[in-house]
Amino acid sequence: MSIKLLISEVQIQERIHEIAKEIVKKYKNEKELTLVTVLQGGKHFSEELVKEIEKISDVFIENFSLQVSSYGNGTESSGHIEVVQNLNGDITGKNVIIIEDIIDSGFTLKFLKKYLQTEKQAHQVEIAVLLNKPNRRKFDVEIDFVGFEIPDEFVVGCGLDFEGKHRELRYVGVINA
Ligand code: IMP
Ligand code: MG
């Protein structure tokens, strides 16, 4: 199995720096920044994003997380979604940003946005993804911050895994190319 480079570590770092600037600008009047990181895939993006935000702003950052499962071990969504690790904080009445690795069909993020609004009583929910596969979208969901648009190929690295592997790569690559 080989992995072909799609987006380099430097490109990713630079883009995350730009997204940090966009977020700081948009949220400059908030007294704190509340992130909800989607585990496990969103962890890398979230950590890098927090580092970049901290370089340019002294805003107080709350970084909560939760874990959902929608994919089995394959490369297609199972069409069924479950919260397997509950949100570890109270976001009632808050403006939050979901931090996720990738939007593919849109199923996960559509579910999560509604879940945080209705079940967790967030006031406003925005979405930041490192990667977007626009050609795969089946569920319409507005994305507020996007790292890169990528073609319809299965990628790994920067939090994204294939059967639990390759999450730790610092670049994004296409598997089995
Ligand atoms: P969606 O619900 O179809 O938008 O899928 C979102 C989830 O599918 C992401 O959180 C990833 O866990 C997973 N996923 C989608 N595409 C890829 C990929 O190319 N590589 C690894 N995981 C992916
Ligand atoms: Mg995921």
Side-chain angles (χ1 to χ4, degrees):
M1 186 184 291
S2 65
I3 299 172
K4 185 181 76 182
L5 178 73
L6 184 65
I7 311 168
S8 73
E9 180 175 356
V10 171
Q11 281 177 294
I12 288 161
Q13 216 166 12
E14 285 173 356
R15 186 68 194 118
I16 294 178
H17 180 73
E18 292 307 312
I19 296 171
K21 284 202 281 190
E22 287 174 35
I23 290 175
V24 166
K25 191 174 169 199
K26 197 165 176 185
Y27 282 74
K28 66 177 186 297
N29 295 323
E30 302 280 331
K31 64 178 194 311
E32 64 201 8
L33 194 57
T34 305
L35 310 179
V36 173
T37 299
V38 185
L39 300 176
Q40 306 188 48
K43 192 162 172 276
H44 174 94
F45 179 33
S46 175
E47 284 171 358
E48 296 302 311
L49 191 59
V50 167
K51 273 190 231 166
E52 293 301 326
I53 292 171
E54 286 176 341
K55 281 184 197 166
I56 56 172
S57 161
D58 52 17
V59 67
F60 179 71
I61 303 171
E62 290 181 304
N63 195 355
F64 299 136
S65 59
L66 84 181
Q67 190 175 351
V68 293
S69 97
S70 63
Y71 273 47
N73 270 340
T75 60
E76 288 288 327
S77 178
S78 64
H80 170 78
I81 192 159
E82 238 179 298
V83 176
V84 295
Q85 189 180 306
N86 197 9
L87 184 67
N88 59 349
D90 183 8
I91 59 166
T92 307
K94 291 185 175 179
N95 295 338
V96 308
I97 308 175
I98 300 176
I99 311 296
E100 172 64 311
D101 51 3
I102 191 166
I103 180 162
D104 186 46
S105 71
F107 186 63
T108 306
L109 282 166
K110 194 180 173 80
F111 166 85
L112 276 177
K113 183 167 183 167
K114 190 156 173 243
Y115 178 78
L116 296 185
Q117 284 167 331
T118 58
E119 305 284 321
K120 299 295 176 184
Q121 309 279 307
H123 175 252
Q124 174 190 280
V125 179
E126 290 204 313
I127 296 173
V129 295
L130 182 60
L131 305 174
N132 178 21
K133 282 186 194 169
N135 296 339
R136 296 264 301 176
R137 199 75 81 257
K138 285 189 203 141
F139 301 88
D140 195 30
V141 45
E142 192 182 328
I143 305 299
D144 304 281
F145 307 95
V146 183
F148 300 88
E149 299 214 334
I150 62 166
D152 178 8
E153 287 183 282
F154 199 81
V155 293
V156 292
C158 294
L160 293 135
D161 73 301
F162 175 64
E163 296 181 346
K165 293 192 286 281
H166 311 304
R167 276 190 205 285
E168 71 294 344
L169 295 175
R170 310 229 5 122
Y171 60 90
V172 171
V174 177
I175 207 148
N176 265 342

